[in-house]
Amino acid sequence: MALAPLVLMAFFLVVAHAQATCYSSTPGSASFSDSYDGDWDDYGYAPEILRVDVTNDSSCGTNINPVIEDAPSPGSLYEGDSVQTYINTDGNLATGDPYDGADKVVIVLGKGYPNDPDDPPMLGRWTGSEFNFDDLTSLPSVGGGGFSTNLDQLGVPGPTALGISVVSSYEIYGRDYYDFAPEAGEPPFSFPVSFSTTPPPPIPPTPPTPPPPPPTSTPTPTPTPTVGVDTIAPRMKIKSKGAMSVGRKGVVSIRLSCPASEIRCIGKLTLKTRSKYRVSSSVVNTSRKRKRTRKIKVKLGSKSFKIAGGKSATVKVRLSKKNRRLLKKHKKIRVKATIRVRDAAGNSRTTTKNITLKVAKKRRSKKKGKKNKRAVSASAIRAYEAAEEALRAAQRAQSR
C-alpha cells in the first residue's frame, strides 16, 4: 500500500511531461556564429563549423543547419567526416545526457565525396544511459550537415527554449579530430519556440468555380528588361604542370588562377590520394599496445585561399610527418586535387584535377675555387719549368 502514492505521483509526472501535439507555431529564426579555428586547428582535419542556422515556421516545421565550410550541400562530406547535432527539447538538464541535457541527437555520416552519397540524417533518442537509433528514423537533409524535422518529431512538450550544440569530427589513423559549436565548456545555443495545441477550425467547403468570362482581346504587354544577375560559378585552373616536388619541410606549392570575370575567388584546396595505401594506427589493448593496418585513401592536406579576379597565386599545402614518410616510401604518389570555390555573388563550384607529387631532389653543394686553384698551380709549375730550361740554356751558352 505504501507504493500507491509513489505510483500515482509517477503517473502525474509522465502526464505532465507528455508530448503535446503542435497545430501551429510562431515563426522564428536565428543564426549562431562559431569562431573560425583556421586551417591548422586539429591539423585542418575536422570539418570547420562556420555557424548554426535555425528556423521554425508557422506549421511546426523546424530546420537546423550547421553550416560546414567545405560541405555546402547534401552528400559533400568526406569519408570519416560526421556532424552531430544535440538538442535539449525541454530545457531540463536533468532529463538528457550529462554533457548538455540533450534528449535528441541527429547524426550525418560522410561516405566518401564525391563518389558515394552520404547517409541521411538519423534521429536518436536518449534512453537514460545512451542515445538509441533502433527505430531507424531518417530525416530530410538540409545543407551538408543539417536536417528538417518538426516539433512533434522532436518531442517538444510545450513552449520552451531549445538547447542546441553541434560537434563535427574526422577519424583518421585511429584518432578523432573535433570542432565544437559552441566551444567546449560553453552553454548550448538557445532557440525559443512557441506553439499552439488547439486544432484549427474546420475548413468550409469550397464554393463551385464560376464559369470563365468570354475571352477579350487585350494588347500584349511589352516585357520589362531585367538587370543581369551573376549566376555563373567561377572556373578555377591549376596552372602548375608536371610532377610537383614536395620539399624537405613537406610543403608543395600549387599555382591557381581566378577568372578575370570574377571579383574574387574564395575557397579551399584539398589533396587526397587517388589510390588506397596501407597505413597503421596504434590500438590500446588491455595487455599491450599493438598496431593495426588498413588501406584507405589518405587526405594529405588542405589550404584555404583568397585570390583577386584575373590574378594568379601560389597556394602552399603542408603535409604532415606521416604523409611525408608515405611519399618518401613510394617516391611518387598520384593525387586528386579538389578545389571548392565560391565567388562574391555566392556561386560555388567544385573542380578536381589529377596531379602527381614527388620527393624533391637533394641539391649538391658546389666546391668553388678548387678548379681555379688547380689551374693556377699547373701554370706555376709550367712557368717554373720554363725558367729552369732558360737558365740551363744560358749556362750552356756561357760554357761555349
Side-chain angles (χ1 to χ4, degrees):
M1 296 298 293
L3 294 176
L6 295 178
V7 173
L8 186 61
M9 182 180 298
F11 171 79
F12 282 111
L13 287 175
V14 171
V15 173
H17 289 83
Q19 174 184 341
T21 302
C22 176
Y23 288 99
S24 63
S25 57
T26 303
S29 63
S31 182
F32 306 98
S33 60
D34 183 46
S35 60
Y36 187 83
D37 294 329
D39 295 318
W40 300 111
D41 177 66
D42 291 336
Y43 303 96
Y45 285 141
E48 182 64 33
I49 304 173
L50 301 179
R51 65 180 188 277
V52 181
D53 295 337
V54 187
T55 60
N56 189 55
D57 60 24
S58 60
S59 303
C60 307
T62 302
N63 288 355
I64 301 179
N65 181 23
V67 179
I68 308 301
E69 182 180 24
D70 293 317
S73 58
S76 53
L77 293 175
Y78 281 103
E79 181 181 5
D81 288 346
S82 69
V83 179
Q84 306 128 39
T85 303
Y86 296 86
I87 309 169
N88 185 347
T89 60
D90 58 4
N92 187 354
L93 298 177
T95 60
D97 72 291
Y99 180 72
D100 54 8
D103 310 287
K104 303 290 187 300
V105 63
V106 178
I107 299 180
V108 180
L109 298 177
K111 296 298 289 295
Y113 177 85
N115 299 321
D116 299 327
D118 296 343
D119 289 335
M122 300 299 296
L123 176 64
R125 296 172 173 82
W126 180 254
T127 63
S129 60
E130 63 181 4
F131 286 101
N132 185 280
F133 298 86
D134 289 345
D135 57 358
L136 300 178
T137 302
S138 60
L139 304 176
S141 298
V142 176
F147 56 92
S148 178
T149 181
N150 57 68
L151 299 178
D152 287 340
Q153 196 169 34
L154 292 177
V156 180
T160 184
L162 301 180
I164 300 173
S165 302
V166 181
V167 180
S168 69
S169 65
Y170 178 73
E171 191 274 334
I172 186 172
Y173 303 130
R175 177 181 174 184
D176 292 322
Y177 300 86
Y178 297 97
D179 188 21
F180 299 88
E183 296 300 325
E186 296 182 3
F189 300 132
S190 179
F191 180 74
V193 292
S194 178
F195 60 92
S196 172
T197 58
T198 303
I203 302 175
T206 305
T209 305
T216 57
S217 59
T218 56
T220 303
T222 304
T224 303
T226 58
V227 179
V229 179
D230 181 12
T231 59
I232 302 175
R235 293 182 179 272
M236 295 201 66
K237 294 182 179 180
I238 296 179
K239 301 187 70 176
S240 302
K241 296 181 180 180
M244 303 178 191
S245 300
V246 178
R248 183 172 57 86
K249 295 184 179 180
V251 177
V252 56
S253 300
I254 300 178
R255 192 78 174 170
L256 302 182
S257 63
C258 179
S261 58
E262 302 292 346
I263 299 176
R264 61 181 176 272
C265 298
I266 303 174
K268 192 171 188 178
L269 172 64
T270 303
L271 302 180
K272 192 172 185 179
T273 61
R274 294 175 59 193
S275 303
K276 292 184 177 181
Y277 291 90
R278 188 171 299 279
V279 296
S280 62
S281 58
S282 297
V283 178
V284 178
N285 201 348
T286 55
S287 59
R288 65 171 184 258
K289 188 175 183 180
R290 58 188 179 87
K291 286 194 173 182
R292 179 181 62 189
T293 62
R294 56 177 181 166
K295 295 186 72 174
I296 62 171
K297 291 183 179 181
V298 182
K299 180 180 178 182
L300 299 176
S302 61
K303 181 67 175 179
S304 298
F305 60 82
K306 182 186 292 184
I307 305 174
K311 302 292 184 181
S312 299
T314 300
V315 179
K316 296 183 177 181
V317 181
R318 185 183 298 273
L319 277 62
S320 65
K321 290 185 178 179
K322 273 191 176 181
N323 293 336
R324 276 180 264 170
R325 288 196 294 267
L326 179 66
L327 176 60
K328 185 177 180 181
K329 177 181 178 181
H330 295 276
K331 307 302 181 184
K332 288 185 179 181
I333 293 181
R334 295 185 303 162
V335 175
K336 177 183 285 186
T338 303
I339 306 173
R340 293 176 178 170
V341 62
R342 67 178 185 275
D343 58 13
N347 304 308
S348 61
R349 185 188 300 274
T350 299
T351 305
T352 61
K353 183 178 180 180
N354 296 330
I355 62 175
T356 301
L357 299 185
K358 66 178 183 179
V359 179
K361 295 182 179 179
K362 295 183 178 180
R363 295 182 179 179
R364 297 182 178 179
S365 59
K366 297 181 180 180
K367 298 181 179 180
K368 297 182 179 180
K370 191 172 183 179
K371 183 177 179 181
N372 294 336
K373 187 174 182 180
R374 287 198 298 268
V376 171
S377 299
S379 300
I381 293 172
R382 287 194 296 271
Y384 176 80
E385 291 174 348
E388 287 286 322
E389 182 64 27
L391 181 59
R392 284 193 293 269
Q395 289 175 352
R396 286 196 298 270
Q398 288 178 0
S399 62
R400 292 176 184 174

mmCIF file of all heavy atoms in Angstrom, residues 42 52 90 118 127 141 147 182 217 229 231 248 272 283 295 303 313 319 365-366 388:
data_model
loop_
_atom_site.group_PDB
_atom_site.id
_atom_site.type_symbol
_atom_site.label_atom_id
_atom_site.label_comp_id
_atom_site.label_asym_id
_atom_site.label_seq_id
_atom_site.Cartn_x
_atom_site.Cartn_y
_atom_site.Cartn_z
ATOM 1 N N ASP A 42 43.432 21.419 -35.117
ATOM 2 C CA ASP A 42 43.291 19.973 -35.279
ATOM 3 C C ASP A 42 43.886 19.501 -36.588
ATOM 4 O O ASP A 42 43.369 18.605 -37.246
ATOM 5 C CB ASP A 42 41.825 19.546 -35.179
ATOM 6 C CG ASP A 42 41.288 19.710 -33.770
ATOM 7 O OD1 ASP A 42 42.085 19.703 -32.816
ATOM 8 O OD2 ASP A 42 40.087 19.872 -33.641
ATOM 9 N N VAL A 52 25.518 28.066 -37.082
ATOM 10 C CA VAL A 52 24.377 27.167 -36.997
ATOM 11 C C VAL A 52 23.112 27.990 -37.245
ATOM 12 O O VAL A 52 22.799 28.903 -36.471
ATOM 13 C CB VAL A 52 24.312 26.469 -35.623
ATOM 14 C CG1 VAL A 52 23.120 25.528 -35.571
ATOM 15 C CG2 VAL A 52 25.596 25.704 -35.338
ATOM 16 N N ASP A 90 13.424 20.059 -23.727
ATOM 17 C CA ASP A 90 12.537 20.515 -22.650
ATOM 18 C C ASP A 90 13.201 21.532 -21.717
ATOM 19 O O ASP A 90 12.585 21.952 -20.735
ATOM 20 C CB ASP A 90 12.041 19.318 -21.834
ATOM 21 C CG ASP A 90 13.190 18.514 -21.248
ATOM 22 O OD1 ASP A 90 14.359 18.927 -21.411
ATOM 23 O OD2 ASP A 90 12.919 17.472 -20.636
ATOM 24 N N ASP A 118 26.206 10.524 -48.964
ATOM 25 C CA ASP A 118 26.183 10.399 -47.505
ATOM 26 C C ASP A 118 24.904 9.698 -47.062
ATOM 27 O O ASP A 118 23.878 9.709 -47.751
ATOM 28 C CB ASP A 118 26.270 11.778 -46.842
ATOM 29 C CG ASP A 118 27.584 12.471 -47.149
ATOM 30 O OD1 ASP A 118 28.530 11.798 -47.584
ATOM 31 O OD2 ASP A 118 27.640 13.688 -46.945
ATOM 32 N N THR A 127 17.961 7.406 -23.786
ATOM 33 C CA THR A 127 17.239 6.386 -23.026
ATOM 34 C C THR A 127 17.522 6.453 -21.532
ATOM 35 O O THR A 127 16.975 5.647 -20.781
ATOM 36 C CB THR A 127 17.626 4.991 -23.546
ATOM 37 O OG1 THR A 127 19.032 4.783 -23.326
ATOM 38 C CG2 THR A 127 17.305 4.861 -25.033
ATOM 39 N N SER A 141 17.573 15.981 -45.594
ATOM 40 C CA SER A 141 18.835 16.705 -45.441
ATOM 41 C C SER A 141 18.655 18.180 -45.763
ATOM 42 O O SER A 141 17.874 18.562 -46.644
ATOM 43 C CB SER A 141 19.906 16.105 -46.358
ATOM 44 O OG SER A 141 20.160 14.768 -46.025
ATOM 45 N N PHE A 147 19.393 19.236 -41.200
ATOM 46 C CA PHE A 147 18.224 18.382 -41.383
ATOM 47 C C PHE A 147 16.959 19.195 -41.167
ATOM 48 O O PHE A 147 16.976 20.315 -40.655
ATOM 49 C CB PHE A 147 18.267 17.223 -40.381
ATOM 50 C CG PHE A 147 18.378 17.674 -38.946
ATOM 51 C CD1 PHE A 147 17.262 17.879 -38.159
ATOM 52 C CD2 PHE A 147 19.628 17.925 -38.388
ATOM 53 C CE1 PHE A 147 17.376 18.301 -36.841
ATOM 54 C CE2 PHE A 147 19.757 18.358 -37.075
ATOM 55 C CZ PHE A 147 18.627 18.548 -36.316
ATOM 56 N N PRO A 182 28.538 25.565 -29.696
ATOM 57 C CA PRO A 182 29.581 26.494 -29.245
ATOM 58 C C PRO A 182 30.823 25.746 -28.756
ATOM 59 O O PRO A 182 30.828 24.517 -28.726
ATOM 60 C CB PRO A 182 28.889 27.236 -28.092
ATOM 61 C CG PRO A 182 27.901 26.239 -27.571
ATOM 62 C CD PRO A 182 27.402 25.483 -28.764
ATOM 63 N N SER A 217 -9.974 40.550 -76.376
ATOM 64 C CA SER A 217 -8.656 40.855 -76.947
ATOM 65 C C SER A 217 -7.992 41.966 -76.156
ATOM 66 O O SER A 217 -8.558 43.039 -75.968
ATOM 67 C CB SER A 217 -8.802 41.269 -78.416
ATOM 68 O OG SER A 217 -9.643 42.403 -78.519
ATOM 69 N N VAL A 229 22.023 39.209 -63.512
ATOM 70 C CA VAL A 229 22.464 38.759 -62.198
ATOM 71 C C VAL A 229 23.520 37.667 -62.405
ATOM 72 O O VAL A 229 23.367 36.792 -63.262
ATOM 73 C CB VAL A 229 21.283 38.214 -61.368
ATOM 74 C CG1 VAL A 229 21.763 37.715 -60.014
ATOM 75 C CG2 VAL A 229 20.219 39.281 -61.203
ATOM 76 N N THR A 231 25.042 34.447 -62.042
ATOM 77 C CA THR A 231 24.648 33.096 -61.612
ATOM 78 C C THR A 231 25.672 32.046 -62.026
ATOM 79 O O THR A 231 25.402 30.856 -61.917
ATOM 80 C CB THR A 231 23.278 32.734 -62.222
ATOM 81 O OG1 THR A 231 23.360 32.801 -63.644
ATOM 82 C CG2 THR A 231 22.196 33.675 -61.731
ATOM 83 N N ARG A 248 61.749 19.440 -48.321
ATOM 84 C CA ARG A 248 62.160 18.732 -47.102
ATOM 85 C C ARG A 248 61.210 19.005 -45.939
ATOM 86 O O ARG A 248 61.020 18.156 -45.078
ATOM 87 C CB ARG A 248 63.587 19.163 -46.732
ATOM 88 C CG ARG A 248 64.166 18.448 -45.520
ATOM 89 C CD ARG A 248 65.621 18.796 -45.354
ATOM 90 N NE ARG A 248 65.822 20.232 -45.226
ATOM 91 C CZ ARG A 248 65.747 20.892 -44.062
ATOM 92 N NH1 ARG A 248 65.510 20.235 -42.943
ATOM 93 N NH2 ARG A 248 65.932 22.200 -44.020
ATOM 94 N N LYS A 272 44.160 14.640 -51.871
ATOM 95 C CA LYS A 272 43.836 13.310 -51.372
ATOM 96 C C LYS A 272 44.322 12.277 -52.381
ATOM 97 O O LYS A 272 44.212 12.479 -53.594
ATOM 98 C CB LYS A 272 42.325 13.164 -51.172
ATOM 99 C CG LYS A 272 41.918 11.931 -50.380
ATOM 100 C CD LYS A 272 40.444 11.963 -50.059
ATOM 101 C CE LYS A 272 40.038 10.801 -49.165
ATOM 102 N NZ LYS A 272 38.606 10.835 -48.820
ATOM 103 N N VAL A 283 46.548 0.857 -31.494
ATOM 104 C CA VAL A 283 45.336 0.421 -30.804
ATOM 105 C C VAL A 283 45.729 -0.018 -29.408
ATOM 106 O O VAL A 283 46.602 -0.881 -29.237
ATOM 107 C CB VAL A 283 44.642 -0.723 -31.572
ATOM 108 C CG1 VAL A 283 43.410 -1.180 -30.813
ATOM 109 C CG2 VAL A 283 44.296 -0.286 -32.969
ATOM 110 N N LYS A 295 43.912 -0.167 -45.498
ATOM 111 C CA LYS A 295 44.138 0.570 -46.741
ATOM 112 C C LYS A 295 43.025 1.600 -46.918
ATOM 113 O O LYS A 295 41.844 1.252 -46.923
ATOM 114 C CB LYS A 295 44.180 -0.392 -47.928
ATOM 115 C CG LYS A 295 45.356 -1.361 -47.876
ATOM 116 C CD LYS A 295 45.443 -2.184 -49.143
ATOM 117 C CE LYS A 295 45.920 -1.348 -50.316
ATOM 118 N NZ LYS A 295 46.155 -2.163 -51.533
ATOM 119 N N LYS A 303 44.421 23.678 -47.749
ATOM 120 C CA LYS A 303 44.778 25.070 -47.510
ATOM 121 C C LYS A 303 43.712 25.976 -48.112
ATOM 122 O O LYS A 303 43.296 25.790 -49.251
ATOM 123 C CB LYS A 303 46.150 25.380 -48.149
ATOM 124 C CG LYS A 303 46.633 26.806 -47.929
ATOM 125 C CD LYS A 303 46.952 27.074 -46.473
ATOM 126 C CE LYS A 303 47.548 28.468 -46.274
ATOM 127 N NZ LYS A 303 47.842 28.734 -44.862
ATOM 128 N N ALA A 313 47.879 32.992 -57.964
ATOM 129 C CA ALA A 313 48.577 32.963 -56.673
ATOM 130 C C ALA A 313 49.053 31.534 -56.419
ATOM 131 O O ALA A 313 48.494 30.560 -56.927
ATOM 132 C CB ALA A 313 47.662 33.429 -55.537
ATOM 133 N N LEU A 319 52.246 18.983 -45.817
ATOM 134 C CA LEU A 319 51.954 17.595 -45.484
ATOM 135 C C LEU A 319 52.454 17.290 -44.073
ATOM 136 O O LEU A 319 53.496 17.800 -43.649
ATOM 137 C CB LEU A 319 52.626 16.635 -46.475
ATOM 138 C CG LEU A 319 51.916 16.366 -47.809
ATOM 139 C CD1 LEU A 319 51.779 17.644 -48.627
ATOM 140 C CD2 LEU A 319 52.629 15.296 -48.594
ATOM 141 N N SER A 365 76.146 20.491 -53.128
ATOM 142 C CA SER A 365 76.915 21.713 -52.884
ATOM 143 C C SER A 365 78.120 21.763 -53.815
ATOM 144 O O SER A 365 78.835 20.778 -54.001
ATOM 145 C CB SER A 365 77.384 21.765 -51.430
ATOM 146 O OG SER A 365 78.184 20.647 -51.158
ATOM 147 N N LYS A 366 78.368 22.903 -54.447
ATOM 148 C CA LYS A 366 79.487 23.094 -55.371
ATOM 149 C C LYS A 366 80.720 23.595 -54.627
ATOM 150 O O LYS A 366 80.633 24.513 -53.830
ATOM 151 C CB LYS A 366 79.097 24.089 -56.466
ATOM 152 C CG LYS A 366 77.945 23.600 -57.333
ATOM 153 C CD LYS A 366 77.623 24.611 -58.421
ATOM 154 C CE LYS A 366 76.478 24.135 -59.306
ATOM 155 N NZ LYS A 366 76.172 25.129 -60.360
ATOM 156 N N GLU A 388 113.572 27.209 -65.470
ATOM 157 C CA GLU A 388 114.696 26.300 -65.296
ATOM 158 C C GLU A 388 115.354 25.980 -66.646
ATOM 159 O O GLU A 388 116.590 25.950 -66.775
ATOM 160 C CB GLU A 388 114.205 24.998 -64.645
ATOM 161 C CG GLU A 388 113.856 25.139 -63.171
ATOM 162 C CD GLU A 388 115.106 25.259 -62.329
ATOM 163 O OE1 GLU A 388 116.090 24.576 -62.633
ATOM 164 O OE2 GLU A 388 115.074 26.038 -61.371
#
